[in-house]
């Protein structure tokens, strides 16, 4: 076998090529992060081995920096391994007590890891194509966080400008209320509004749910409001609502693309009651190729949901906490999906009730249900069968 270690960086990559006997074929050399550099690497690999099936290439998971060279290697048909940087760091420390870390050393270390008996899984085309779904779900995650902050800003501004409004509606975060506040961004503006104009606006955006009586109620409340007259805050409110509308439009577009990809994948995870498109897609995207996991416990460990273990001599820790060292996106998706599954599926609902009856805190009980959900998802993905809900 021929082993290639690559330390990935933004503008260049350091490479090291050796064979399975430990003989160095090419000492550490640097290639540029462009097509010329990629071709140079491939030529050196080809010059030392005619059978590409006997080539193993390893590189660290460095986010977007490694994506282009990874795609190039897969297109060339090379067996490629993407290694966790933490794994590489621990392996390098096991080789020497000296604190030596350079890009060239890392490239050599990665090649040595491929030669050792370290259990590594090759990066598949499934994982590479899955990157698009992962990118979209993480992008949506960030957009949802932005939307939550905008909602907080709107609530804060309404408390200053028209605090009574919140008690007159089920929630401030409705299309009709946003339209009202965008057109009349303060209590004084609503109080002085022409009733016909106010009625027409509310009736149109609420599709007839808000009538003339509602408009009268809002205007009377505004006339007796303690809200402050602050044009600067009113302007901020209008701009925040405008940003919220743009964000909602972007989220619709993102979710439509996620739905398209999930339709192509046709995963049975969406057959589980309570697992929606957003959380289901994030779970599938973060796990990637299920063939890389020998058991559901490996997925739990990857999500950081496995309990930590501490034992030294006669001392055993009795308060094991979650490791929380894996994918925070997968951990978030699994935890939130479990809450909905426990509401919609009787089997999970009874399991959660059982754990609660044992005296466990709600979050601890949910974590147990999450482990059960992971086992179910693993089995469904392996068998490609839909979930059968208990009657």
């Amino acid at each position: 076998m021929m082993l290639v270690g690559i330390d990935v960086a933004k503008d260049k990559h350091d490479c090291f090529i050796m064979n399975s006997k430990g003989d160095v074929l090419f000492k550490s050399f640097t290639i540029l992060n462009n097509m010329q550099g990629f071709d140079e690497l491939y030529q050196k690999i080809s010059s030392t081995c005619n059978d590409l099936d006997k080539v193993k290439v390893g590189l660290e998971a460095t986010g977007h920096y490694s994506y282009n060279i990874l795609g190039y290697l897969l297109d060339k048909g090379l067996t490629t391994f993407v290694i966790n940087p933490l794994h590489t760091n621990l392996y390098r420390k096991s080789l020497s007590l000296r604190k030596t870390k350079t890009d060239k050393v890392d490239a050599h270390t990665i090649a040595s890891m491929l030669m050792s008996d370290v259990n590594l899984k090759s990066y598949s085309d499934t994982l590479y194509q899955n990157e698009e779904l992962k990118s979209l779900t993480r992008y949506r995650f960030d957009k949802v966080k932005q939307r939550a902050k905008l909602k907080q800003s709107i609530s804060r501004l309404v408390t200053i400008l028209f605090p009574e409004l919140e008690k007159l509606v089920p929630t401030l975060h409705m299309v009709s209320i946003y339209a009202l506040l965008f057109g009349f961004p303060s209590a004084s503006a609503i109080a002085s509004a022409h009733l016909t104009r106010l009625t027409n606006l509310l009736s149109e955006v609420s599709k007839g749910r808000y009538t003339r009586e509602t408009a009268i109620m809002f205007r009377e409340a505004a006339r007796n409001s303690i809200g402050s007259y602050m044009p600067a805050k009113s302007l901020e409110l209008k701009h925040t609502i405008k940003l919220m509308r743009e964000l909602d439009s972007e989220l619709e577009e993102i979710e439509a693309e996620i739905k398209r990809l999930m339709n192509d994948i046709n995963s049975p995870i969406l057959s589980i009651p309570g697992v929606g498109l957003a959380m289901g897609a994030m779970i599938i995207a973060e796990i990637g190729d299920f063939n890389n996991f020998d058991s559901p416990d490996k997925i739990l460990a990857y999500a950081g949901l496995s309990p930590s273990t501490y034992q030294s001599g006669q001392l055993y820790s009795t308060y094991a906490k979650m490791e929380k060292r894996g994918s925070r996106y997968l951990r978030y998706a699994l935890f939130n999906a479990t809450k909905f599954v426990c509401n919609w599926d009787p089997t999970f609902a009874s399991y959660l009730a059982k754990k609660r009856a044992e005296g466990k805190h709600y979050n601890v009980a949910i974590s147990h249900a999450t482990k059960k959900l992971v086992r179910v998802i693993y089995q469904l993905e392996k068998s490609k069968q839909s979930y059968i809900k208990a009657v």
Side-chain angles (χ1 to χ4, degrees):
M1 295 294 297
M2 191 173 73
L3 312 169
V4 183
I6 305 174
D7 185 80
V8 177
K10 180 180 179 181
D11 299 317
K12 50 89 178 178
H13 308 310
D14 288 284
C15 310
F16 186 92
I17 302 177
M18 61 190 293
N19 61 26
S20 54
K21 296 179 181 180
D23 300 327
V24 177
L25 304 178
F26 284 98
K27 290 184 179 180
S28 296
F29 60 95
T30 301
I31 62 170
L32 295 176
N33 187 25
N34 56 28
M35 187 57 70
Q36 182 181 352
F38 294 178
D39 288 340
E40 178 188 345
L41 173 62
Y42 182 71
Q43 288 171 6
K44 289 187 176 181
I45 294 174
S46 302
S47 66
T48 56
C49 184
N50 294 325
D51 187 0
L52 294 181
D53 290 335
K54 294 183 178 181
V55 178
K56 289 184 179 180
V57 184
L59 49 87
E60 284 186 336
T62 51
H64 59 284
Y65 290 138
S66 61
Y67 193 71
N68 293 328
I69 190 170
L70 177 60
Y72 178 89
L73 295 170
L74 292 175
D75 287 341
K76 292 295 184 181
L78 296 170
T79 303
T80 308
F81 298 82
V82 178
I83 305 170
N84 190 317
L86 177 63
H87 200 174
T88 307
N89 186 38
L90 293 174
Y91 185 81
R92 184 180 63 252
K93 288 180 178 179
S94 70
L95 299 178
S96 173
L97 295 176
R98 296 180 63 187
K99 291 186 178 181
T100 305
K101 186 194 182 306
T102 65
D103 293 341
K104 296 184 184 300
V105 169
D106 283 347
H108 191 177
T109 301
I110 292 170
S112 299
M113 287 183 70
L114 296 176
M115 184 176 64
S116 69
D117 293 329
V118 177
N119 185 23
L120 299 174
K121 299 286 186 179
S122 62
Y123 201 88
S124 63
D125 287 331
T126 301
L127 283 172
Y128 187 75
Q129 299 300 328
N130 193 65
E131 286 295 329
E132 187 175 3
L133 182 61
K134 183 188 289 187
S135 177
L136 280 172
T137 54
R138 291 188 176 187
Y139 186 46
R140 180 189 176 277
F141 179 84
D142 293 335
K143 290 292 183 181
V144 169
K145 287 202 300 183
Q146 291 176 28
R147 184 172 62 180
K149 290 181 179 180
L150 290 178
K151 284 184 176 181
Q152 291 176 355
S153 295
I154 290 173
S155 298
R156 172 179 58 83
L157 292 167
V158 171
T159 301
I160 297 171
L161 299 167
F162 189 8
E164 294 80 7
L165 179 61
E166 192 169 7
K167 297 179 180 179
L168 301 177
V169 294
T171 175
L172 292 175
H173 308 293
M174 301 163 58
V175 173
S176 54
I177 301 304
Y178 283 175
L180 171 67
L181 293 172
F182 188 79
F184 306 96
S186 67
S188 58
I190 295 174
S192 60
H194 193 282
L195 184 59
T196 302
R197 183 186 172 194
L198 190 60
T199 301
N200 291 340
L201 183 148
L202 289 171
S203 178
E204 181 181 352
V205 295
S206 67
K207 298 181 180 179
R209 196 165 69 100
Y210 284 159
T211 60
R212 179 183 175 87
E213 286 71 24
T214 306
I216 292 173
M217 178 182 66
F218 285 167
R219 194 170 69 168
E220 288 301 315
R223 287 174 174 174
N224 297 310
S225 175
I226 60 171
S228 302
Y229 175 71
M230 301 179 68
K233 295 295 183 185
S234 295
L235 183 63
E236 183 182 349
L237 178 59
K238 287 188 66 173
H239 287 184
T240 306
I241 292 173
K242 185 177 180 180
L243 288 173
M244 177 67 81
R245 288 172 172 173
E246 292 176 358
L247 198 56
D248 285 338
S249 177
E250 290 172 359
L251 280 168
E252 287 181 8
E253 191 174 352
I254 294 168
E255 288 167 0
E257 188 64 15
I258 289 174
K259 185 176 181 179
R260 182 188 67 79
L261 292 174
M262 285 297 287
N263 287 338
D264 293 340
I265 294 172
N266 193 26
S267 170
I269 192 174
L270 297 182
S271 66
I272 303 174
V275 178
L277 178 67
M279 291 301 104
M282 183 172 279
I283 291 170
I284 294 299
E286 293 299 324
I287 293 177
D289 191 347
F290 279 78
N291 292 323
N292 283 343
F293 298 92
D294 298 329
S295 68
D297 290 338
K298 297 289 181 66
I299 296 177
L300 287 169
Y302 177 63
L305 290 170
S306 297
S308 58
T309 304
Y310 182 84
Q311 182 270 327
S312 179
Q314 300 299 317
L315 176 63
Y316 290 85
S317 174
T318 56
Y319 297 98
K321 297 181 180 179
M322 285 186 187
E323 292 179 341
K324 294 186 178 180
R325 293 184 66 179
S327 169
R328 65 186 180 96
Y329 297 100
L330 178 57
R331 187 163 58 248
Y332 165 84
L334 285 171
F335 211 75
N336 281 276
T338 303
K339 293 179 181 179
F340 288 101
V341 173
C342 288
N343 285 334
W344 288 92
D345 185 77
T347 302
F348 278 87
S350 60
Y351 185 77
L352 179 65
K354 175 187 174 184
K355 292 299 177 182
R356 292 286 284 147
E358 293 174 0
K360 299 187 185 299
H361 187 275
Y362 175 76
N363 288 338
V364 176
I366 285 291
S367 69
H368 282 277
T370 300
K371 295 174 184 178
K372 181 179 177 68
L373 179 62
V374 169
R375 290 192 291 270
V376 170
I377 293 172
Y378 185 83
Q379 183 60 36
L380 293 181
E381 289 292 335
K382 284 292 188 178
S383 64
K384 294 301 179 183
Q385 295 179 349
S386 297
Y387 182 79
I388 301 175
K389 185 177 179 180
V391 179

